[in-house]
Amino acid sequence: MFHVKPPPAPKEWSLVRNPALWPENAAFRPEPGGQPPCCEHGSRLREARHMMDGPTSTTGGTGARISEPSPDAVLVRRTLEEIAPVADKVTSYFYALLFVRTPTLRELFPAAMDAQRDRLLKALLTVAERMDDADFLGEYLGHLGRGHRKYGVEAAHYPAVGEALIGALTRYAERSWDAETEVAWVRAYTAISQIMIDAAAEDEAKAPAWWQAEVVSHDLRTPDIAVLTLRTDAPYPFLAGQFTTLETPWWPRVWRHYSFASAPRPDGLLTLHVKAVPAGWVSHALVHRARPGDVLRLGPPAGSMTVDHATDTGLLCLGGGTGIAPIKALVEDVAEHGDRRQVDVFYGARSGHDLYDMDTLLRLQKTFPWLAVHAVTEAQGPLPEAVREAGPWTGRDAYLSGPLGMVRQGVDVLRGSGVPSERIRHDFLAELAAVGAGSAEVGGVHGADALDVAVEVVAQ
């Protein structure tokens, strides 16, 4: 059995509620006579988001309000541009400062830190790029705050992270760093951390930090793809199209993202599709080592790639590799709601042998006349190009899941074909928004770091 000691119950948040207990660096203390960073929930969140809001101006005589970067956003982005060439040194120095000053935080991280080092910069790039977008940051950072609960992160840890971040930036941003820039970074980090703290506190009142999940079946579909069925120790609320974070007993504190491959079932069982990827510790363990009776841990469900059942708009779904998992869940969801909307699924893989779930999709197609399934292999060309040729799709809501490169190309193809951006759904929002984001696969999830795994700052 897999026994994991739960993180300690959250302590009183005196560190952020009591100015006298804040770190010695005066930059992280509240202004004299001002409110401490943690006051009542509603006003905290409003104040935090207000810090992120940039000014607007009216241009062109049309009355349209066009957002301009806030002064803090300009300073933060300038710092990131300077440290970009030495990003490895900055992140290494950040973690060194964090662990030397607060050794107890080291146990929240995996033993091997190689993959962890670039995640701080990716997070900063994502936040900086959307720093003045309060709605995006509220959703994005709220998800991170809720997700950090499974690592044992507490509100009292955030000041230590902020101190280490400022220390690393001060050392390496030699040209752009000054008193005004430091104030901008402190304001930004205070706002960021407060949104995450509040989201975690709200989530704690209604959900556990994690669920235990027993493997009840393990079906090896190909030499490197397995379908796992799990039974959780408590009801696990999720929507079709969402994903979870998963930890195995063989790699403690190493979490990976996997999408659910079915809509919620009456028996409460969960299904995941996992591909063993090169150097994928967790994916290899799940495909080649996991067996019925093994117990995993799941974090909370997340993701916005869900169906709006208030409309009857047709769906266009692109699933590459194990990215077909959430697409199949969406098809089941449409069927269970009795919708008659047209759904076209494009399922891409390297070869026909790699279309491991094609039989299931064909059975669904035979059952539901509104469903059309299209198989696309590499011999036929890239999946997004096949979608372009089969268009137009301007009247559809589009859903994409698979490798980041495929999703990126698919988004470009759909936009170029006239599909509005707001009708294109995927869970690579942070990766596509961040400048210089990597090319990891996403969930089915498809066996590698991606989504918020790639951008979580405090622990992974």
Side-chain angles (χ1 to χ4, degrees), residues 419-446:
V419 180
S421 296
E422 61 270 17
R423 300 185 74 167
I424 302 174
R425 294 171 172 82
H426 57 85
D427 281 318
F428 269 125
L429 299 178
E431 295 291 327
L432 297 187
V435 178
S439 59
E441 279 190 314
V442 70
V445 68
H446 308 287

mmCIF file of all heavy atoms in Angstrom, residues 419-446:
data_model
loop_
_atom_site.group_PDB
_atom_site.id
_atom_site.type_symbol
_atom_site.label_atom_id
_atom_site.label_comp_id
_atom_site.label_asym_id
_atom_site.label_seq_id
_atom_site.Cartn_x
_atom_site.Cartn_y
_atom_site.Cartn_z
ATOM 1 N N VAL A 419 -12.079 30.873 -37.240
ATOM 2 C CA VAL A 419 -12.686 30.506 -35.962
ATOM 3 C C VAL A 419 -12.227 31.520 -34.906
ATOM 4 O O VAL A 419 -11.023 31.682 -34.697
ATOM 5 C CB VAL A 419 -12.287 29.084 -35.532
ATOM 6 C CG1 VAL A 419 -12.940 28.734 -34.196
ATOM 7 C CG2 VAL A 419 -12.690 28.072 -36.601
ATOM 8 N N PRO A 420 -13.138 32.212 -34.247
ATOM 9 C CA PRO A 420 -12.741 33.213 -33.242
ATOM 10 C C PRO A 420 -11.961 32.573 -32.089
ATOM 11 O O PRO A 420 -12.236 31.439 -31.691
ATOM 12 C CB PRO A 420 -14.083 33.773 -32.752
ATOM 13 C CG PRO A 420 -15.072 33.432 -33.815
ATOM 14 C CD PRO A 420 -14.607 32.139 -34.408
ATOM 15 N N SER A 421 -10.995 33.309 -31.575
ATOM 16 C CA SER A 421 -10.159 32.780 -30.492
ATOM 17 C C SER A 421 -10.983 32.347 -29.293
ATOM 18 O O SER A 421 -10.650 31.353 -28.621
ATOM 19 C CB SER A 421 -9.141 33.838 -30.068
ATOM 20 O OG SER A 421 -8.258 34.140 -31.115
ATOM 21 N N GLU A 422 -12.058 33.074 -28.998
ATOM 22 C CA GLU A 422 -12.841 32.746 -27.813
ATOM 23 C C GLU A 422 -13.611 31.439 -27.968
ATOM 24 O O GLU A 422 -14.173 30.919 -26.999
ATOM 25 C CB GLU A 422 -13.808 33.882 -27.480
ATOM 26 C CG GLU A 422 -14.833 34.195 -28.548
ATOM 27 C CD GLU A 422 -14.344 35.235 -29.555
ATOM 28 O OE1 GLU A 422 -13.115 35.479 -29.617
ATOM 29 O OE2 GLU A 422 -15.204 35.796 -30.256
ATOM 30 N N ARG A 423 -13.633 30.873 -29.180
ATOM 31 C CA ARG A 423 -14.322 29.599 -29.389
ATOM 32 C C ARG A 423 -13.332 28.450 -29.544
ATOM 33 O O ARG A 423 -13.708 27.346 -29.940
ATOM 34 C CB ARG A 423 -15.222 29.698 -30.620
ATOM 35 C CG ARG A 423 -16.270 30.787 -30.491
ATOM 36 C CD ARG A 423 -17.233 30.825 -31.645
ATOM 37 N NE ARG A 423 -18.182 29.713 -31.583
ATOM 38 C CZ ARG A 423 -19.280 29.661 -32.334
ATOM 39 N NH1 ARG A 423 -19.555 30.623 -33.188
ATOM 40 N NH2 ARG A 423 -20.094 28.638 -32.237
ATOM 41 N N ILE A 424 -12.066 28.703 -29.243
ATOM 42 C CA ILE A 424 -11.024 27.671 -29.309
ATOM 43 C C ILE A 424 -10.603 27.335 -27.886
ATOM 44 O O ILE A 424 -10.101 28.202 -27.156
ATOM 45 C CB ILE A 424 -9.822 28.154 -30.132
ATOM 46 C CG1 ILE A 424 -10.253 28.530 -31.544
ATOM 47 C CG2 ILE A 424 -8.741 27.075 -30.170
ATOM 48 C CD1 ILE A 424 -9.147 29.144 -32.379
ATOM 49 N N ARG A 425 -10.777 26.090 -27.485
ATOM 50 C CA ARG A 425 -10.504 25.695 -26.105
ATOM 51 C C ARG A 425 -9.375 24.657 -26.055
ATOM 52 O O ARG A 425 -9.372 23.704 -26.813
ATOM 53 C CB ARG A 425 -11.768 25.110 -25.465
ATOM 54 C CG ARG A 425 -12.897 26.122 -25.304
ATOM 55 C CD ARG A 425 -14.184 25.427 -24.876
ATOM 56 N NE ARG A 425 -15.235 26.356 -24.525
ATOM 57 C CZ ARG A 425 -16.032 26.954 -25.395
ATOM 58 N NH1 ARG A 425 -15.877 26.711 -26.696
ATOM 59 N NH2 ARG A 425 -16.975 27.786 -24.996
ATOM 60 N N HIS A 426 -8.477 24.874 -25.129
ATOM 61 C CA HIS A 426 -7.387 23.934 -24.849
ATOM 62 C C HIS A 426 -6.847 24.276 -23.479
ATOM 63 O O HIS A 426 -7.230 25.296 -22.887
ATOM 64 C CB HIS A 426 -6.278 24.036 -25.911
ATOM 65 C CG HIS A 426 -5.708 25.409 -26.054
ATOM 66 N ND1 HIS A 426 -4.696 25.882 -25.239
ATOM 67 C CD2 HIS A 426 -6.025 26.425 -26.888
ATOM 68 C CE1 HIS A 426 -4.400 27.122 -25.578
ATOM 69 N NE2 HIS A 426 -5.200 27.482 -26.574
ATOM 70 N N ASP A 427 -5.970 23.450 -22.950
ATOM 71 C CA ASP A 427 -5.426 23.700 -21.616
ATOM 72 C C ASP A 427 -3.956 24.079 -21.658
ATOM 73 O O ASP A 427 -3.203 23.820 -20.721
ATOM 74 C CB ASP A 427 -5.646 22.489 -20.712
ATOM 75 C CG ASP A 427 -7.071 22.442 -20.172
ATOM 76 O OD1 ASP A 427 -7.579 23.513 -19.794
ATOM 77 O OD2 ASP A 427 -7.673 21.358 -20.142
ATOM 78 N N PHE A 428 -3.527 24.710 -22.754
ATOM 79 C CA PHE A 428 -2.170 25.226 -22.861
ATOM 80 C C PHE A 428 -2.158 26.745 -22.767
ATOM 81 O O PHE A 428 -1.316 27.389 -23.369
ATOM 82 C CB PHE A 428 -1.552 24.818 -24.198
ATOM 83 C CG PHE A 428 -0.816 23.511 -24.141
ATOM 84 C CD1 PHE A 428 -1.143 22.492 -25.021
ATOM 85 C CD2 PHE A 428 0.193 23.295 -23.230
ATOM 86 C CE1 PHE A 428 -0.464 21.286 -24.988
ATOM 87 C CE2 PHE A 428 0.876 22.091 -23.192
ATOM 88 C CZ PHE A 428 0.545 21.089 -24.072
ATOM 89 N N LEU A 429 -3.118 27.334 -22.038
ATOM 90 C CA LEU A 429 -3.215 28.784 -21.989
ATOM 91 C C LEU A 429 -1.920 29.419 -21.521
ATOM 92 O O LEU A 429 -1.427 30.383 -22.110
ATOM 93 C CB LEU A 429 -4.366 29.190 -21.064
ATOM 94 C CG LEU A 429 -5.762 28.706 -21.489
ATOM 95 C CD1 LEU A 429 -6.793 29.125 -20.456
ATOM 96 C CD2 LEU A 429 -6.114 29.245 -22.857
ATOM 97 N N ALA A 430 -1.337 28.872 -20.454
ATOM 98 C CA ALA A 430 -0.113 29.450 -19.927
ATOM 99 C C ALA A 430 1.059 29.236 -20.870
ATOM 100 O O ALA A 430 1.869 30.129 -21.102
ATOM 101 C CB ALA A 430 0.206 28.857 -18.547
ATOM 102 N N GLU A 431 1.143 28.024 -21.441
ATOM 103 C CA GLU A 431 2.265 27.712 -22.314
ATOM 104 C C GLU A 431 2.256 28.577 -23.570
ATOM 105 O O GLU A 431 3.301 29.050 -24.015
ATOM 106 C CB GLU A 431 2.212 26.240 -22.717
ATOM 107 C CG GLU A 431 2.402 25.264 -21.568
ATOM 108 C CD GLU A 431 3.802 25.272 -21.004
ATOM 109 O OE1 GLU A 431 4.751 25.489 -21.769
ATOM 110 O OE2 GLU A 431 3.942 25.080 -19.787
ATOM 111 N N LEU A 432 1.081 28.792 -24.152
ATOM 112 C CA LEU A 432 1.012 29.587 -25.371
ATOM 113 C C LEU A 432 1.128 31.064 -25.079
ATOM 114 O O LEU A 432 1.513 31.850 -25.942
ATOM 115 C CB LEU A 432 -0.300 29.302 -26.121
ATOM 116 C CG LEU A 432 -0.482 27.878 -26.631
ATOM 117 C CD1 LEU A 432 -1.731 27.776 -27.486
ATOM 118 C CD2 LEU A 432 0.724 27.415 -27.432
ATOM 119 N N ALA A 433 0.804 31.473 -23.848
ATOM 120 C CA ALA A 433 0.910 32.883 -23.503
ATOM 121 C C ALA A 433 2.331 33.274 -23.156
ATOM 122 O O ALA A 433 2.758 34.399 -23.393
ATOM 123 C CB ALA A 433 -0.018 33.206 -22.324
ATOM 124 N N ALA A 434 3.096 32.343 -22.577
ATOM 125 C CA ALA A 434 4.443 32.671 -22.114
ATOM 126 C C ALA A 434 5.418 32.745 -23.270
ATOM 127 O O ALA A 434 5.435 31.898 -24.149
ATOM 128 C CB ALA A 434 4.920 31.619 -21.107
ATOM 129 N N VAL A 435 6.230 33.770 -23.273
ATOM 130 C CA VAL A 435 7.249 33.911 -24.304
ATOM 131 C C VAL A 435 8.300 32.843 -24.085
ATOM 132 O O VAL A 435 8.800 32.643 -22.982
ATOM 133 C CB VAL A 435 7.904 35.297 -24.232
ATOM 134 C CG1 VAL A 435 8.998 35.420 -25.273
ATOM 135 C CG2 VAL A 435 6.859 36.382 -24.418
ATOM 136 N N GLY A 436 8.634 32.123 -25.163
ATOM 137 C CA GLY A 436 9.672 31.112 -25.058
ATOM 138 C C GLY A 436 9.251 29.870 -24.316
ATOM 139 O O GLY A 436 10.078 29.173 -23.760
ATOM 140 N N ALA A 437 7.943 29.578 -24.279
ATOM 141 C CA ALA A 437 7.495 28.381 -23.594
ATOM 142 C C ALA A 437 8.056 27.150 -24.274
ATOM 143 O O ALA A 437 8.345 27.139 -25.454
ATOM 144 C CB ALA A 437 5.961 28.317 -23.591
ATOM 145 N N GLY A 438 8.179 26.067 -23.500
ATOM 146 C CA GLY A 438 8.773 24.836 -24.018
ATOM 147 C C GLY A 438 7.807 24.054 -24.862
ATOM 148 O O GLY A 438 6.729 24.502 -25.202
ATOM 149 N N SER A 439 8.204 22.842 -25.197
ATOM 150 C CA SER A 439 7.394 22.032 -26.106
ATOM 151 C C SER A 439 6.991 20.707 -25.488
ATOM 152 O O SER A 439 6.922 19.703 -26.148
ATOM 153 C CB SER A 439 8.176 21.765 -27.396
ATOM 154 O OG SER A 439 9.376 21.088 -27.123
ATOM 155 N N ALA A 440 6.733 20.701 -24.184
ATOM 156 C CA ALA A 440 6.320 19.459 -23.539
ATOM 157 C C ALA A 440 4.938 19.058 -24.017
ATOM 158 O O ALA A 440 4.168 19.862 -24.496
ATOM 159 C CB ALA A 440 6.305 19.643 -22.016
ATOM 160 N N GLU A 441 4.625 17.779 -23.847
ATOM 161 C CA GLU A 441 3.281 17.329 -24.172
ATOM 162 C C GLU A 441 2.338 17.730 -23.065
ATOM 163 O O GLU A 441 2.715 17.918 -21.926
ATOM 164 C CB GLU A 441 3.261 15.801 -24.311
ATOM 165 C CG GLU A 441 3.739 15.306 -25.653
ATOM 166 C CD GLU A 441 3.472 13.827 -25.809
ATOM 167 O OE1 GLU A 441 3.760 13.084 -24.861
ATOM 168 O OE2 GLU A 441 3.004 13.422 -26.874
ATOM 169 N N VAL A 442 1.075 17.843 -23.413
ATOM 170 C CA VAL A 442 0.047 18.079 -22.424
ATOM 171 C C VAL A 442 -0.762 16.817 -22.261
ATOM 172 O O VAL A 442 -0.737 15.934 -23.087
ATOM 173 C CB VAL A 442 -0.885 19.224 -22.815
ATOM 174 C CG1 VAL A 442 -1.736 18.854 -23.951
ATOM 175 C CG2 VAL A 442 -1.732 19.664 -21.655
ATOM 176 N N GLY A 443 -1.524 16.755 -21.307
ATOM 177 C CA GLY A 443 -2.231 15.777 -20.691
ATOM 178 C C GLY A 443 -2.918 14.696 -21.222
ATOM 179 O O GLY A 443 -3.592 14.335 -21.318
ATOM 180 N N GLY A 444 -2.988 14.016 -21.411
ATOM 181 C CA GLY A 444 -3.768 12.794 -21.474
ATOM 182 C C GLY A 444 -3.063 11.780 -20.754
ATOM 183 O O GLY A 444 -3.092 10.676 -21.118
ATOM 184 N N VAL A 445 -2.258 13.194 -20.132
ATOM 185 C CA VAL A 445 -1.513 14.457 -20.414
ATOM 186 C C VAL A 445 -0.143 14.155 -20.497
ATOM 187 O O VAL A 445 0.553 14.218 -19.628
ATOM 188 C CB VAL A 445 -1.629 15.487 -19.462
ATOM 189 C CG1 VAL A 445 -1.637 16.399 -18.379
ATOM 190 C CG2 VAL A 445 -2.181 16.513 -20.347
ATOM 191 N N HIS A 446 -0.453 13.612 -21.081
ATOM 192 C CA HIS A 446 -0.040 12.905 -22.221
ATOM 193 C C HIS A 446 1.399 12.649 -21.963
ATOM 194 O O HIS A 446 2.240 12.770 -22.779
ATOM 195 C CB HIS A 446 -0.323 13.575 -23.523
ATOM 196 C CG HIS A 446 -1.748 13.934 -23.557
ATOM 197 N ND1 HIS A 446 -2.774 13.008 -23.722
ATOM 198 C CD2 HIS A 446 -2.355 15.103 -23.333
ATOM 199 C CE1 HIS A 446 -3.896 13.605 -23.647
ATOM 200 N NE2 HIS A 446 -3.687 14.868 -23.423
#
